[in-house]
């Protein structure tokens, strides 16, 4: 849908740029470093960069929240581990379009957990993006030879 322009919108616009830099770095570094090393460095970077804000804004949390945080950390660990393995084994042009499936889960989570509406423009845009990426993925897959299935994690 449509929204008011806000300075915080800039963060949303910067996010894909930083994410693409992470993808390119992961692909390049996976040629020289183990997947475990890359996962460790990504995790360390996240802790170092987020710790100052976490300390500054710290609020005591109930025990249930610690369980939720642990679950989210486990999900994040698994996601990053999977991404590192995927980018080490396959060309970026094959893996990157598949990341647009997060559009589906983000839209559903927004609707289920936060009551965000799925209006016509949001759904139309989602179908356009997903349809384009499915088409690109199929066309790219036809040109790319199969990749190894060996994972050394």
């Amino acid at each position: 849908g449509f929204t008011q322009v806000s300075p915080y919108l800039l963060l949303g616009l910067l996010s894909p740029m930083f994410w693409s830099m992470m993808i390119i770095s992961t692909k390049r570094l996976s040629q020289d470093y183990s997947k475990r090393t890359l996962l460790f460095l990504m995790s360390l970077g996240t802790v170092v960069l987020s710790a100052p804000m976490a300390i500054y804004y710290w609020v005591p949390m109930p025990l249930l929240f610690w369980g939720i945080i642990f679950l989210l950390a486990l999900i994040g660990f698994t996601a990053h581990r999977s991404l590192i393995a995927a980018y080490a084994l396959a060309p970026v042009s094959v893996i990157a379009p598949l990341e647009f499936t997060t559009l589906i889960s983000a839209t559903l989570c927004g609707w289920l957990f936060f009551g965000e509406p799925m209006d016509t423009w949001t759904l139309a845009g989602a179908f356009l993006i997903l349809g384009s990426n499915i088409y690109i993925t199929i066309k790219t897959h036809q040109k790319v030879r199969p990749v190894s299935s060996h994972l050394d994690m």
Side-chain angles (χ1 to χ4, degrees):
F2 294 99
T3 186
Q4 290 182 349
V5 177
S6 148
Y8 298 111
L9 188 60
L10 180 61
L11 295 174
L13 295 173
L14 289 174
S15 179
M17 181 183 73
F18 289 127
W19 187 252
S20 63
M21 289 168 44
M22 191 277 306
I23 289 170
I24 293 166
S25 300
T26 299
K27 179 64 178 172
R28 171 62 185 93
L29 293 173
S30 67
Q31 297 168 9
D32 300 325
Y33 298 96
S34 75
K35 294 171 191 72
R36 287 186 181 125
T37 300
L38 289 176
L39 184 61
F40 173 76
L41 292 174
M42 289 173 74
S43 300
L44 180 64
T46 300
V47 168
V48 168
L49 291 173
S50 61
M53 295 208 9
I55 293 168
Y56 183 77
Y57 291 105
W58 185 259
V59 202
M61 296 182 294
L63 189 58
L64 174 65
F65 283 21
W66 285 105
I68 293 170
I69 287 174
F70 178 78
L71 180 63
L72 291 173
L74 186 61
I75 291 168
F77 170 82
T78 304
H80 279 99
R81 182 176 180 216
S82 300
L83 278 173
I84 290 169
Y87 283 116
L89 295 170
V92 172
S93 61
V94 172
I95 304 300
L98 299 175
E99 289 190 40
F100 282 98
T101 58
T102 58
L103 179 63
I104 296 169
S105 58
T107 302
L108 288 174
C109 286
W111 177 66
L112 286 171
F113 299 117
F114 304 108
E116 295 177 359
M118 289 188 278
D119 64 7
T120 305
W121 289 109
T122 302
L123 292 173
F127 282 118
L128 178 66
I129 291 169
L130 288 173
S132 300
N133 278 283
I134 289 169
Y135 175 78
I136 291 167
T137 301
I138 290 169
K139 287 296 185 185
T140 303
H141 183 69
Q142 291 171 351
K143 296 177 185 177
V144 176
R145 64 177 186 254
V147 294
S148 169
S149 63
H150 174 70
L151 295 175
D152 64 352
M153 289 183 100

